[in-house]
Amino acid sequence: MSSSNAALRFALYFAALVAFAIAVGVGAAIGLQDNPRPLFLLLLFAVCASPLLYATHWNGPYSVLIFYALMFLVSYGAMDFVDLFTGQRSSSSEGVLSAAEAGLLAGLIVLVLGYALAVKLTRRRTQARVPSEWPALTALLVGISLWALGTLATYLWQVEILNRAFQQLEGRINSYQAMAVTLGRLVQPLGLLLVAYRVFAGRTAVALLLLIAMLGVTFVVGFVGDSKEVAVQGIALVLVTSLLVSGRIPKVWLGVGTMVVLVAFPVFQAYRAEVLSFGRDRGAAAENLGANLQKALDSRLLERGEDIYGARSFLDRVSIKRTFERIVTDVGVTAEYQNGYTVSLLFSGMIPRVLWPDKPDTSVGQLFNRELGISAFRDVFISVTHFGDLYWNFGWVGLLGGALLMGILLGTIGSRFDLAEHRSVTRILVLTITIYLLVARMEQNIAMSYLVWLRSMIAVAALHIVFSRRSSTAPPAGLPEQRSSPPSDASPLTLSATTIQRSFRSTQRSG
């Protein structure tokens, strides 16, 4: 990186930090909250914005860290930032900087350092070579097949098997059926990613129409199955895939996805309240979907526009800072340390339930709820968060040590599957699934997240072995390996720096 580029990067980082500090100051003045969290917000933003200093591409070796920093900022800082302006209080932290806030910052810094170390070590060993690639038609056909099987499995799981909220699974499905449904749900996002890759890498109209149809069907399945995650999962995966393949923010897809969420989520909530409340059967409701949907659209909840549908409510749902604060406050005082139990479920989870019918549940959501007494309903699942799970087991040592290992793992993946260097189906599958399961879902417990991720990586490896083909030719036109000019997928900062340099040289020559 040239000194001029480095100076511009630092200038952009410093400008972003100053702008955020001004916003924090204005919010604190407007909201007049008794105990705002300005220092935590400023330090959190400073660490989360640090990729501006060293990441040169959206889809380069630091791509996973960019997504992690954005998700961490939203998950742990968005509510405190909004509270500045509203005067309301979400955080339970006291003082200038609480122990929980200091722990979050320390863990994030350690994770970033581990990521950077992994990138440095991995790139030294990586030899530039063209990776294996799937034939275009094969990727499309396999993608459609996997998505169709996965969507069917998801429908059966959400609507036929767990057809009521908080329903227990025991006795409703045997081990072999559970394994088949689990495998189907596992490959569903892989199938959608294969089609999305063909859309953004091959730019074919047929693949685009197929992708839109698949997103529509997936959304309907999520709606009928009362799962917002299932409904928006496809849109989220498409957004990430587009960004990683092109190296540019997909403005159209982002706009459409945002509109869908803003318009659809209130309807989801009304459908749950008017149609599926009091344990009503999802399958029975789906049989009369038209009338039930109209009932949701006519709901007085939508007419009143209650806060449950507002932006603050949405951020409150994705915020996980209070959970971590609760863990730091209660664990070791009113709740016992787990001493590795919930993390060790990752290893037992790899054993199929067919071979171990009585193996422990890897979700641990109910255990967390009961141990800390969070909800009056003991069967409710409460997400423990990755950082929270580490502290719940081993305290501060576990948090910092686990954060370091997580950073090394994510950095190795980001560097080893760098899409700015080479593009392939397998690389996009590994990166997107990693971002979705280990980054976007950081509110889950360690065992559940990493178990699903490991199973997905095994599936990706099997697909790679069967369908990828080694190519001895250069990459297709438009994807040059060695670039003498700024790459089309460079970050806005890189392009700006290069443009300024060229303009300066032109001025010198003309002078």
Side-chain angles (χ1 to χ4, degrees):
M1 183 188 302
S2 66
S3 58
S4 58
N5 272 353
L8 285 170
R9 289 182 164 286
F10 181 79
L12 180 61
Y13 173 78
F14 183 75
L17 193 58
V18 169
F20 186 77
I22 293 173
V24 168
V26 171
I30 293 175
L32 298 176
Q33 187 189 130
D34 292 336
N35 190 10
R37 316 305 304 160
L39 181 59
F40 170 70
L41 285 172
L42 290 174
L43 293 176
L44 179 65
F45 185 85
V47 180
C48 290
S50 63
L52 289 172
L53 296 171
Y54 43 81
T56 58
H57 302 78
W58 286 103
N59 56 356
Y62 288 96
S63 59
V64 180
L65 182 60
I66 292 173
F67 280 99
Y68 195 95
L70 289 172
M71 190 67 194
F72 201 93
L73 182 63
V74 172
S75 299
Y76 288 103
M79 278 307 303
D80 281 346
F81 183 74
V82 171
D83 286 346
L84 287 173
F85 294 87
T86 63
Q88 300 183 56
R89 184 79 189 280
S90 299
S91 174
S92 63
S93 292
E94 300 292 345
V96 177
L97 192 70
S98 69
E101 291 172 338
L104 288 172
L105 293 170
L108 180 59
I109 291 171
V110 169
L111 186 145
V112 171
L113 293 175
Y115 192 108
L117 175 64
V119 169
K120 184 177 182 180
L121 296 177
T122 305
R123 292 187 75 79
R124 285 179 177 177
R125 301 174 183 175
T126 302
Q127 298 179 348
R129 59 192 180 96
V130 179
S132 301
E133 181 59 301
W134 293 36
L137 182 59
T138 299
L140 197 60
L141 295 177
V142 173
I144 295 171
S145 301
L146 293 179
W147 171 83
L149 291 173
T151 301
L152 176 61
T154 301
Y155 179 86
L156 292 174
W157 179 263
Q158 292 290 139
V159 179
E160 300 297 336
I161 299 173
L162 293 180
N163 54 359
R164 292 181 176 87
F166 308 117
Q167 187 172 25
Q168 298 297 319
L169 185 61
E170 287 82 6
R172 298 187 57 82
I173 185 173
N174 62 45
S175 299
Y176 294 98
Q177 292 171 330
M179 185 169 63
V181 172
T182 300
L183 180 60
R185 296 171 65 210
L186 185 74
V187 300
Q188 192 261 2
L190 299 181
L192 191 128
L193 285 174
L194 287 171
V195 177
Y197 179 79
R198 293 314 316 158
V199 170
F200 300 115
R203 301 183 182 278
T204 61
V206 173
L208 176 60
L209 293 175
L210 282 171
L211 179 62
I212 294 173
M214 291 162 66
L215 290 175
V217 173
T218 303
F219 188 87
V220 172
V221 170
F223 182 80
V224 172
D226 191 29
S227 172
K228 299 185 188 71
E229 181 182 352
V230 171
V232 303
Q233 178 191 69
I235 299 174
L237 292 174
V238 168
L239 287 172
V240 174
T241 303
S242 176
L243 179 59
L244 291 178
V245 172
S246 67
R248 301 183 183 91
I249 297 176
K251 299 181 181 63
V252 175
W253 284 98
L254 182 60
V256 172
T258 302
M259 288 301 299
V260 168
V261 170
L262 292 177
V263 173
F265 270 31
V267 181
F268 267 80
Q269 290 296 123
Y271 185 81
R272 176 178 294 175
E274 300 290 350
V275 179
L276 298 178
S277 58
F278 306 108
R280 293 173 183 168
D281 190 286
R282 295 168 183 167
E287 294 176 0
N288 197 15
L289 182 59
N292 286 328
L293 176 58
Q294 189 61 48
K295 184 184 298 185
L297 294 174
D298 294 337
S299 172
R300 288 177 296 175
L301 297 175
L302 289 178
E303 294 176 4
R304 290 199 301 264
E306 294 182 348
D307 183 62
I308 192 173
Y309 308 120
R312 191 179 190 280
S313 177
F314 175 78
L315 289 178
D316 188 50
R317 289 170 180 269
V318 301
S319 176
I320 53 179
K321 183 189 177 189
R322 283 178 298 180
T323 300
F324 186 78
E325 290 172 330
R326 179 71 177 267
I327 292 171
V328 172
T329 301
D330 290 0
V331 173
V333 180
T334 60
E336 298 292 332
Y337 288 98
Q338 291 298 300
N339 298 315
Y341 169 70
T342 64
V343 177
S344 68
L345 294 175
L346 168 63
F347 305 102
S348 62
M350 293 298 294
I351 303 175
R353 197 169 290 275
V354 173
L355 303 178
W356 187 5
D358 298 325
K359 76 173 183 177
D361 181 11
T362 55
S363 70
V364 309
Q366 289 178 323
L367 174 65
F368 177 60
N369 178 25
R370 294 166 183 172
E371 287 290 312
L372 274 75
I374 297 175
S375 172
F377 301 97
R378 292 174 56 82
D379 291 335
V380 173
F381 288 80
I382 304 294
S383 297
V384 64
T385 78
H386 288 176
F387 274 22
D389 203 8
L390 292 172
Y391 184 89
W392 189 25
N393 279 272
F394 307 111
W396 295 118
V397 174
L399 172 62
L400 297 179
L404 178 63
L405 294 177
M406 288 165 59
I408 292 174
L409 172 64
L410 296 177
T412 302
I413 294 170
S415 179
R416 176 64 182 82
F417 297 92
D418 180 359
L419 282 168
E421 178 183 282
H422 297 294
R423 299 177 191 177
S424 72
V425 167
T426 301
R427 290 193 174 203
I428 197 69
L429 290 178
V430 171
L431 280 176
T432 307
I433 291 298
T434 298
I435 290 170
Y436 177 66
L437 294 177
L438 302 187
V439 176
R441 302 185 67 182
M442 63 173 63
E443 84 282 356
Q444 293 283 350
N445 65 296
I446 294 287
M448 176 63 74
S449 294
Y450 282 82
L451 175 62
V452 178
W453 178 78
L454 282 171
R455 289 172 175 172
S456 299
M457 291 303 102
I458 292 173
V460 170
L463 292 170
H464 175 79
I465 293 172
V466 174
F467 296 110
S468 66
R469 299 291 181 267
R470 173 68 63 185
S471 174
S472 59
T473 61
L479 302 177
E481 293 304 311
Q482 301 295 331
R483 301 178 174 103
S484 57
S485 59
S488 61
D489 54 359
S491 69
L493 177 59
T494 304
L495 293 175
S496 300
T498 308
T499 302
I500 294 172
Q501 290 174 344
R502 287 181 173 176
S503 299
F504 179 72
R505 295 192 190 103
S506 299
T507 304
Q508 285 183 316
R509 286 196 295 270
S510 62

